[in-house]
Structure formats: structure tokens, C-alpha cells
Amino acid sequence: MITSDAFRGKRYAVLGLARSGLATVRSLVASGAEVTAWDSKEEARAQVEGDVRFADPMEIDLCSFDGLVLSPGVPLNTHPIANKARDANVPIIGDIELFALARGSLPPHKVIGITGTNGKSTTTALLHHMMQTAGLPSLMGGNIGLPILSQQPLPEGGVYVLELSSYQIDLTHSLDCDVAVLTNITPDHLDRYDSFLDYAAAKERLFHMQHADKVSVVAVDDDPCRMIASRIHHRLRRVSAKNITDQSRWPSLQGPHNAQNVACAIAACEAIGIDAETVERGLATYPGLAHRMERLGEVGGILFVNDSKATNPTSTAPALGAYPAIHWLLGGQAKGDDLDACLPHIGNVRAAYAFGEDGAKLAAILKGKVAVSEYADLKAATEAASAAAQPGETVLLSPACASFDQFRDFEHRGDTFREIVAALRNRGS
């Protein structure tokens, strides 16, 4: 794990003991910090029992603590812990800020930080693959893969490639990325922000934390990103999906959304100093990302595609545009009141199968535009779609919604879909 003398002898309160919280506690304890931790789930607390003091930060005096470490899932705009910490003058931070504070203890390295509403996971995974293609030691973390603090530090010359959600940036104050990347900004997470402008401002903070000699890469295909680019006064590289005219050489990077991801990745690689031949080799050999337009194979001539990572309509739209005859599985916790971004591709949809907490709401939106039916859960919706689909058609899980009504996260939702498809395959054989 990553540890640092910067934490030795300091006191931290940690709220939330899921993946990043657990990694945080273990890193702080191993660094010699005193940790008070809390999670409402007894099984979560059991993972660090004996290493920490247990107390709910809402019920103790925070004034003597050096920091309150929150899980990104704790809503700063509504949870009372935020005001309590501010009243106690205690910094509210996350595991990415701890990584930033620990950087001085690590061998010389570079950090690439990637944010945006859509495309950041693919861009992060692609850049990690391209670093490895170039022979550079690299780790991928943040909002993707393993928590960064739980991973072994890189040797000198390594590159940390971090996917950063707006929630994580909100909890970060000193992450000076060598290269910071912004893919796009569309309405999302508006339950966590007072307005769309506040959400966009959270993304923009990644660039405010950079020193003047560092590089910013911004895809200027939408108005919010163009505005942010106009306010960056250090080394800026503007890119666009329009820069990419031929994707035929890159099997796992098809579609206009991936053109934007590729444009961002190429600019970031150039900023790191990777040559054009190595960049091309990395693009050609990139294997793709689980849960993002992931082909699960065919069952009875019907293609099943796992796009569980699509947690909003804008993220779902590219998948709907990629296949000509779709049985669309959508549902979960809707992040808005429309599916407008998906409607230009609705002609590709043979039928829609809405499930989960907001299934009825989504079905009402689609009524009159496409045949739509409602189901209690993903399993029932998938089985219905499989029964209705014909050979040559596609059953697509691209939910356009958050997963937290019935799943731990989008990975759990995608893994469950994979298991359902495997069962259908076994039943067919």
C-alpha cells in the first residue's frame, strides 16, 4: 500500500468503510496516524477492528483532528457532517487528497488525472494501457479499479493514471496533476449540486489545482468545456472528436464518443513524451473496458452487450447508435426527468424493457415512441428481451440510470447481467 511520513502522529476521522475508506484506514494506520473510524454496517467495521477507535464523527468533538476523510458517496450538500466539520475548522478530504499529500514520500513520478461526465473510464483505462505499451510503470486508480492507496508505490519514472469523479475532486485540494484531462460535461449528479454550473465548477477545480508548468487537455466539443478552456491560462491543449477521422485501425475504440476519448488520450501521451508509433500501437491493441459496450457474445444468434457503465442518458446514447436492432434494457435510479439524449437513436430500438426503482417513470417517458414494458428487476427484463429478440438483433443493457436501487455499483449490475446471460447460454445448450 501507499504510506507516508506526512501522516505520522496525526489524527484522522474516517466516515465510510467501503473500498476507498478501508484502503484509507489501512494506509493511515500503517503510516503511524491515529484513526477514528465509523461505518453504520457492523461487517464493515469488523474489517479494521483492533486497528482503530470506533466512533461516529457526528457524535464526537472534531476540533482536535487533522482531517475528516469522507467516502465520495457522502453527499456534501446534504449530510450534516459537512457543516459540523466546517464549524470545527477541520479539512474535509478524501483518499485522493491523501494520495496528493503522500506524493512527496514517493519515488519521482507523474500523475495524469482524467475527469468528465462521460468517457473518463475508457480514457483512463486507455491511457493506462498506453503507458504500459510504452514500457512505463503505471497504476490505474481513483474512480476505477483498486483504490489508489491500496496499491504498491511505483518505482521512479512511474505514471499514476487516476479517474476522478466530481465527488472525488470536491474532497481534493492539492492534487497537482502533471496532465489533467477533461472529456466532456453534460448534466449529471444534479442531486449533489445546487445547479449544473456548480457541477461544472467541480470539474474545473482539477485545473485550478495545477501549477503553471503543467499541461491541461480539454475536449472542446461542448459549451461548458469550451468555457472552462477559455479560463485556463497555463499549458492548454484543446482537442476534439473531429480531430479523429479514421478509427478503423482500433477495434475497441469505435464510435464518435471513442473518437473524443482517443483525441484526449493522444494529447495526454504527447504531453508525457510518448512517441507517435507507440501511441498508435497502444490504440490498436487496447482491449476495451468491462461494462462499457462490452460484447458478451451471442446466444441463439442474439448478441448480448453489457453497457452497465452508462449511468445517464448521454452515456447511453452512443450505445443506442452503435447497433441497428436493439432490445434495450434500462432502469435503476434516474438522474433526471428525460431521455432526450437517447431519442435521436430511438429508431434503432425494437423494444424497451424498463426495470428497477424508476422503471415506471422511464416507461412513461418512452410510451408512444417505442414499444416499452416494465419489469421488477434486471433478470426479468433480460429474460423477456431474450425471448422477444430475433437472431441478428442485440439485447443491450445500457441503463441510463444509477445502479444503487438494486446493486452495489455499476460493476455489480454488469456482473449480474453477465451471469444472467451465462445462464441463458447454459439453458440453450
Side-chain angles (χ1 to χ4, degrees), residues 9 113 136 142 152 156 187 272 355 366-367 370:
L136 296 174
Q152 285 296 110
E156 182 173 348
I272 291 290
F355 64 89
L366 291 174
K367 188 175 181 181
V370 68

Side-chain angles (χ1 to χ4, degrees), residues 271-286:
I272 291 290
I274 298 175
D275 64 89
E277 182 180 343
T278 303
V279 168
E280 176 63 30
R281 189 164 70 251
L283 294 170
T285 57
Y286 175 63

Side-chain angles (χ1 to χ4, degrees), residues 332-407:
Q333 293 178 327
K335 294 181 176 180
D337 296 322
D338 65 68
L339 293 168
D340 290 355
C342 299
L343 298 183
H345 306 292
I346 203 69
N348 288 348
V349 179
R350 293 286 185 267
Y353 308 77
F355 64 89
E357 182 177 310
D358 286 324
K361 174 181 176 179
L362 298 168
I365 293 171
L366 291 174
K367 188 175 181 181
K369 299 178 178 67
V370 68
V372 59
S373 46
E374 298 173 39
Y375 300 87
D377 55 31
L378 175 59
K379 184 174 186 291
T382 303
E383 290 179 343
S386 175
Q390 300 296 312
E393 296 182 338
T394 300
V395 174
L396 170 69
L397 170 64
S398 192
C401 293
S403 58
F404 302 117
D405 58 331
Q406 297 178 337
F407 303 96

